[in-house]
């Protein structure tokens, strides 16, 4: 009985002991985690340092003197509420519009039959292979010809539908049962009612995934707002921060990292709120 008990205990111990492969994997994951969150931690810590300490070498991990002067200057010297409001309005309108229109196009490509359906989908897939910088100049010329430069429409309209969003929604909606849609049509529901009452509730994970990706891209967009608007009252946060923290001969790093920290906070909040839907959407979209 004692030998059996010892043998069983040893077996349990051996099962619980990590294998060399598991140790190597865990070490690799820890290194990847440190590489991912290291710049974020450095940014937050540096925002609490005076300008001289940020520039000193060797750098300090923990601030010798914690100061909030960078945040005070950020909110006092910049028209921060205006720039923040511009970023929020543009990001929210782009996110809602892109999610809605991408879902509608994805539903049509996945569940409706019409002439040229496969050709249209091939064109959507083809545009995924075109770098954004290739279409940057033609897009600017188009917006200028429409007399939309220096307007909120210039920041919103070009991004209300994205090929990736159409592809993502189409792949998810392929899994929506046709029988469910047929039952709604038999009950007298039109396509719009079927889409809004039946399809969209089924696609919540994909909508959340596309929403956070679109919001992230719009919130961090820098180059297009930089050239599409010229007046300061329409600057978004990244553009305003870059322009006002860079002087003629020097860069205010404290102001930069403080502004970057404030810019990151809404993204983290949105991700934490939608985390469960995002993970579910990424893990299920396109799977059969």
């Amino acid at each position: 009985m004692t030998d059996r008990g010892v043998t069983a205990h040893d077996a349990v111990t051996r099962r619980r002991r990590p294998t060399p492969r598991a140790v190597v994997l865990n070490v690799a994951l820890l290194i990847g985690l440190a590489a991912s969150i290291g710049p974020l931690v450095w940014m937050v810590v540096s925002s609490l340092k005076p300008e001289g300490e940020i520039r000193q070498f060797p750098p300090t991990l923990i601030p010798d003197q914690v100061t909030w002067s960078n945040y005070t200057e950020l909110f006092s010297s910049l028209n921060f509420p205006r720039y923040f409001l511009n970023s929020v309005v543009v990001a929210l309108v782009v996110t809602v519009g892109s999610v809605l229109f991408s879902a509608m196009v994805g539903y049509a490509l996945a569940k409706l039959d019409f002439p040229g359906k496969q050709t249209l989908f091939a064109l959507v897939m083809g545009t995924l292979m075109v770098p954004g910088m290739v279409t940057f100049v033609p897009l600017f010329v188009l917006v200028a010809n429409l007399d939309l430069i220096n307007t909120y429409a210039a920041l919103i309209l070009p991004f209300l539908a994205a090929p990736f969003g159409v592809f993502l929604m189409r792949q998810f909606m392929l899994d929506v049962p046709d029988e469910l849609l047929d039952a709604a049509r038999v009950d007298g529901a039109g396509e719009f009612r079927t889409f809004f009452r039946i399809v969209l509730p089924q696609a919540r994970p994909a909508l959340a995934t596309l929403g956070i990706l679109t919001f992230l891209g719009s919130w961090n967009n820098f180059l297009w707002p930089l050239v599409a608007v010229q007046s300061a009252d329409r600057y978004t946060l990244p553009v305003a921060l870059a322009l006002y923290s860079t002087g003629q001969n020097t860069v205010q790093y404290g102001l930069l990292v403080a502004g970057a920290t404030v810019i990151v906070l809404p993204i983290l909040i949105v991700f934490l709120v939608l985390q469960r839907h995002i993970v579910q959407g990424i893990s299920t979209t396109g799977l059969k």
Side-chain angles (χ1 to χ4, degrees), residues 108-269:
L109 292 175
K111 296 301 181 181
L112 301 182
D113 292 324
F114 55 90
K117 173 182 174 179
Q118 297 302 324
T119 302
L120 179 59
F121 180 65
L123 290 175
V124 172
M125 295 301 296
T127 55
L128 286 174
M129 305 177 189
V130 179
M133 295 307 299
V134 174
T135 60
F136 191 88
V137 174
L139 180 60
F140 179 80
V141 173
L142 177 61
V143 171
N145 290 336
L146 294 175
D147 198 23
L148 296 178
I149 295 298
N150 203 35
T151 64
Y152 290 112
L155 301 176
I156 295 173
L157 292 180
F159 307 101
L160 286 183
F164 174 77
V166 173
F167 171 74
L168 180 71
M169 297 308 302
R170 175 190 179 272
Q171 294 303 108
F172 190 90
M173 290 183 181
L174 286 174
D175 292 337
V176 177
D178 292 332
E179 294 79 7
L180 189 63
L181 305 181
D182 293 337
R185 294 181 182 120
V186 169
D187 290 339
E191 290 299 337
F192 280 99
R193 186 177 180 184
T194 301
F195 174 76
F196 285 104
R197 300 293 296 274
I198 304 298
V199 177
L200 283 188
Q202 296 288 326
R204 280 195 299 267
L207 294 174
T209 303
L210 180 58
I212 183 60
L213 294 177
T214 305
F215 184 87
L216 177 63
S218 179
W219 185 264
N220 291 330
N221 195 3
F222 171 76
L223 186 57
W224 177 254
L226 180 64
V227 301
V229 296
Q230 285 85 39
S231 59
D233 62 335
R234 285 178 172 79
Y235 284 162
T236 57
L237 269 179
V239 175
L241 181 62
L243 294 180
Y244 285 99
S245 63
T246 305
Q248 187 174 1
N249 298 314
T250 184
V251 178
Q252 302 180 55
Y253 292 106
L255 191 61
L256 270 177
V257 292
T261 302
V262 174
I263 291 175
V264 167
L265 286 178
I267 299 174
L268 293 178
I269 294 174

Side-chain angles (χ1 to χ4, degrees), residues 27-45:
V27 171
L29 291 175
L30 288 176
I31 294 175
L33 178 63
S36 300
I37 69 173
L40 180 63
V41 174
W42 179 259
M43 176 185 69
V44 176
V45 171

